[in-house]
Amino acid sequence: MQLKLVSGNSAGTVTAYYLSSKGGAWDEIDFEFLGNLSGQPYTLHTNVFSQGKGNREQQFHLWFDPTADFHTYSILWNPQQIVFYVDGTPIREFKNMESNGVPFPKNQPMRIYSSLWNADDWATRGGLVKTDWSKAPFTASYRNFNANACTWSSGKSSCSSSTQSNTNNAWFSEELDSSSHERLKWVQKNYMIYNYCTDIKRFPQGLPQECKMA
């Protein structure tokens, strides 16, 4: 999806673009863009839920102004991993570590959602900066949505073992190559501002299992 975010004073707003299933033990993959005061950087907030459990936040500042023009935000979701991309550059990888007891979203169909909502109780500086409603209406723009995916019908997925050999579904077995891993490290070194896997205060009983395996 290509997005152009709310310009000017967007404090308190969240522009969201995400995948989600239904029910109490839902799966979800989130791009959320946390607005800010004019001149301050947007925060790109990512999260992965599996079987109703999230708390896997990583946050980034972007290396461009996301309100000035459209940029492409993509998700690769296959049995091996989930990768978040910005303009083709990977910013986050969540690997399938089911063999180590970490639930991974793979058994529930998800739909695509988008929204623009007021979250001034937490979005900007932890809720310290409230939405200035005199700046309304707040507008985010979406265009050029494209999906290559398995489809769900009558309780079954269109994907099978033959999917991996189908050139139209190369994404199904895609993994990051060495150059992509280098770009991922560059983003995380220079633009990541929060990583739940390093937040020892938040997890006094020990970091989540997937953090230990990374």
Side-chain angles (χ1 to χ4, degrees):
M1 179 78 81
Q2 290 191 311
L3 280 77
K4 183 163 67 172
L5 302 182
V6 178
S7 60
N9 181 357
S10 58
T13 69
V14 173
T15 303
Y17 165 51
Y18 62 102
L19 296 166
S20 183
S21 63
K22 300 287 188 179
W26 78 100
D27 296 337
E28 187 170 315
I29 304 171
D30 293 335
F31 269 119
E32 293 186 303
F33 302 88
L34 314 186
N36 218 325
L37 294 172
S38 300
Q40 297 296 313
Y42 257 84
T43 295
L44 170 49
H45 177 99
T46 67
N47 205 351
V48 175
F49 287 76
S50 51
Q51 299 177 20
K53 179 183 179 296
N55 298 325
R56 298 187 176 103
E57 300 90 347
Q58 287 185 0
Q59 295 183 338
F60 305 83
H61 284 158
L62 296 166
W63 49 95
F64 53 83
D65 178 358
T67 72
D69 203 351
F70 286 90
H71 291 268
T72 304
Y73 303 91
S74 311
I75 295 167
L76 170 66
W77 169 38
N78 64 23
Q80 292 76 247
Q81 80 274 299
I82 296 162
V83 184
F84 296 77
Y85 293 88
V86 175
D87 288 336
T89 295
I91 65 168
R92 176 178 184 176
E93 180 183 33
F94 183 81
K95 294 182 179 179
N96 184 340
M97 291 178 278
E98 284 184 307
S99 59
N100 294 302
V102 179
F104 185 81
K106 72 171 193 179
N107 296 317
Q108 302 185 69
M110 291 199 269
R111 292 181 179 272
I112 302 241
Y113 298 88
S114 62
S115 59
L116 173 54
W117 53 290
N118 175 41
D120 67 3
D121 58 332
W122 68 275
T124 306
R125 294 184 58 206
L128 294 177
V129 184
K130 302 301 181 182
T131 302
D132 181 354
W133 292 103
S134 71
K135 300 295 190 291
F138 301 103
T139 303
S141 301
Y142 295 68
R143 73 180 188 190
N144 292 343
F145 169 68
N146 183 47
N148 188 351
C150 309
T151 56
W152 188 263
S153 178
S154 302
K156 292 184 179 180
S157 170
S158 63
C159 289
S160 64
S161 57
S162 62
T163 301
Q164 298 186 52
S165 60
N166 186 328
T167 55
N168 292 327
N169 291 305
W171 59 269
F172 195 79
S173 56
E174 184 178 338
E175 297 190 54
L176 295 181
D177 59 20
S178 57
S179 62
S180 295
H181 272 294
E182 288 304 312
R183 287 190 292 161
L184 176 69
K185 290 178 184 177
W186 173 77
V187 172
Q188 296 199 340
K189 177 182 177 181
N190 294 288
Y191 296 99
M192 181 186 285
I193 59 172
Y194 176 80
N195 182 3
Y196 76 108
C197 278
T198 61
D199 194 343
I200 299 173
K201 290 182 179 179
R202 183 179 175 188
F203 301 103
Q205 305 302 318
L207 292 171
Q209 179 70 12
E210 66 267 22
C211 299
K212 302 170 187 175
M213 307 303 298

